[in-house]
Amino acid sequence: MRCWAATLSALSLTACAPAAEPEPTYLGLDCTLPFEPQAAALAAQPHLTPAPKDPAEPYRFYSSTDGRTSYLITVKGAPGHPAIMMQKAKGGDIVTTGCPYGDARGYEQLHAYLDSLKTWRRNK
């Protein structure tokens, strides 16, 4: 009987333990979708933090809370606008992909800028 009571007690404790929250997943890019609907869907994802809007930068950044996924969504005036880029940490590398809806030359400029941020380090 004691064994049964101990088992019942252990089961009731595990039943009340909070379930581990699953790792959030983030949307990949689908360049067959139009710019506006895709940009809105990406920005509306839970567990994303928008960077503060900088009036000097013609794009918006959104980053996952774990820092492993980031999106750059251009606004009017940005090189290559409209464009969406995504950076994903894989192993020890950062992979950049994107959807160039606008000017190809401007998109390449934007891609080079985003890739340059991978190696940027703050001076102490």
Side-chain angles (χ1 to χ4, degrees):
M1 189 66 144
R2 256 188 235 154
C3 186
W4 175 252
T7 302
L8 184 57
S9 178
L11 287 175
S12 66
L13 288 175
T14 58
C16 294
E21 192 169 317
E23 287 282 320
T25 57
Y26 299 96
L27 296 173
L29 298 183
D30 180 354
C31 298
T32 65
L33 295 174
F35 171 78
E36 290 293 336
Q38 178 162 223
L42 293 171
Q45 294 178 93
H47 306 288
L48 278 185
T49 303
K53 176 70 176 119
D54 182 342
E57 293 186 340
Y59 28 77
R60 295 295 316 263
F61 282 104
Y62 299 86
S63 296
S64 62
T65 52
D66 66 3
R68 298 183 54 79
T69 305
S70 296
Y71 302 95
L72 178 146
I73 301 173
T74 63
V75 297
K76 191 172 180 138
H81 179 71
I84 300 173
M85 303 195 86
M86 178 174 145
Q87 288 190 318
K88 198 146 186 74
K90 290 193 179 190
D93 196 19
I94 298 172
V95 177
T96 303
T97 57
C99 296
Y101 297 98
D103 175 61
R105 190 179 213 175
Y107 175 82
E108 289 305 318
Q109 179 184 352
L110 187 62
H111 195 283
Y113 165 72
L114 202 54
D115 278 345
S116 75
L117 296 178
K118 293 179 193 179
T119 59
W120 180 83
R121 300 281 187 258
R122 175 176 281 144
N123 293 332
K124 292 183 180 185

